[in-house]
């Protein structure tokens, strides 16, 4: 018989809309999921919204269940939580997370969803993809007990990294951001906070997630000799100047890229499923509720995402409610 759903599409760079789309009946190894919440991954999704994905990255930047192609029209996104309405007995009726765009109902292979633990509310489970990114970043960074660590950029990804690092015994973790309101987020996560000018230096490790050239430059300044910056920001088509003169070479500093599209080679024996399952287990901690910065409905998403792409709205998680959708 099939079904209909409502989905967010980027019709053209800078212009989003809600469309009605067909949804097939699930096959024997598939699940039909009714979405409760999706979330906007601000850094990537606003770049997509503005049409700033470099042509060289069109294939690598594809989301797992993306429709269309860059720059547009494209249905993009990858943070969805919902209930399985039809599927194998072990999944039917369960709350699951899936790397799926903003759509009210969808069908995917059964192995594309991860069951949300009973002690993780759906409202928080929508963060799973971002916490998965943080887990991969920490695996890439490989911090040691007692390390002095700064996380520069207190948006959705940076705050998630700080939350994961807060559990490292003896570590001194400081979240760095120019917005003084982020101090409350840091306090909720159990880490320190400072503005870029007041941040503590001599750091063994800095994780950069501000997506600004100034943030990356400040990250290098905060390092101790032989220290490393793990770079999580993605800049799309924007050029990024780097201050590689001065003490960069004499202090033997390192910049390492981290990207969630592959499992960190430092944890090569782990698979994508292991990493996602770990992210969902971590989300049993209510501290992560501090990462949700606002809510909207699916109908409001085109307008809200346009505002976000222009620099407005919170840089923390924007949670999108699909309640009442088809």
């Amino acid at each position: 018989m099939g079904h209909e759903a409502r989905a967010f599409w980027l019709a053209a760079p800078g212009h989003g809309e809600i469309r009605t789309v067909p949804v097939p009946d699930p096959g024997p190894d598939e699940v039909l999921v009714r979405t409760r919440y999706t979330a906007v991954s601000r850094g990537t999704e606003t770049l997509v919204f503005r049409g700033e994905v470099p042509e060289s990255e069109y294939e690598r930047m594809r989301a797992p269940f993306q429709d269309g192609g860059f720059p547009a029209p494209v249905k993009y996104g990858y943070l969805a939580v919902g209930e399985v309405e039809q599927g194998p007995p072990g999944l039917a009726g369960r709350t699951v997370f899936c790397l799926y765009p903003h759509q009210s109902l969808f069908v995917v292979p059964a192995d594309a969803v991860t069951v949300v633990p009973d002690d993780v509310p759906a409202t928080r489970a929508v963060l799973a993809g971002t916490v998965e990114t943080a887990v991969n970043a920490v695996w890439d960074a490989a911090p040691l007990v007692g390390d002095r660590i700064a996380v520069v950029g207190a948006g959705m990804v940076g705050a998630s990294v700080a939350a994961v690092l807060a559990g490292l015994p003896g570590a001194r973790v400081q979240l760095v951001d120019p917005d003084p309101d982020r101090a409350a987020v840091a306090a909720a996560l159990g880490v320190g906070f400072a503005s870029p000018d007041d941040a503590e230096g001599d750091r063994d490790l800095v994780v950069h997630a501000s997506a600004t050239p100034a943030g990356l430059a400040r990250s290098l300044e905060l390092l101790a000799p032989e220290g490393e910056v793990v770079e999580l920001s993605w800049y799309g088509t924007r050029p990024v100047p780097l201050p590689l003169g001065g003490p960069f070479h004499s202090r033997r500093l390192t910049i390492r890229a981290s990207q969630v599209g592959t499992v960190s080679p430092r944890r090569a024996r782990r698979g994508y499923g292991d990493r996602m399952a770990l992210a969902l287990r971590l989300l049993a901690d209510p501290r992560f509720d501090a990462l949700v910065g606002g809510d909207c409905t699916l109908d409001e998403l085109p307008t809200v995402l346009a505002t976000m792409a222009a620099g407005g709205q919170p840089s923390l998680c924007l949670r999108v409610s699909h309640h009442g959708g088809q």
Side-chain angles (χ1 to χ4, degrees), residues 3 24-27 30-34 83-88 91-93:
H3 311 266
D25 288 321
E30 295 181 319
V31 290
L32 175 70
V33 179
R34 186 168 298 277
E83 271 75 47
V84 176
E85 291 199 341
Q86 297 179 44
L91 289 173

Side-chain angles (χ1 to χ4, degrees), residues 34 67 104 113 145 171 191 195 272 281 315:
R34 186 168 298 277
D67 280 340
S104 62
V113 301
V145 170
V191 300
S195 69
Y272 291 99
R281 290 202 304 274
S315 60

Side-chain angles (χ1 to χ4, degrees), residues 53 63 124 127 171 199 317:
V53 177
R124 192 185 307 146
L127 294 164
C317 173

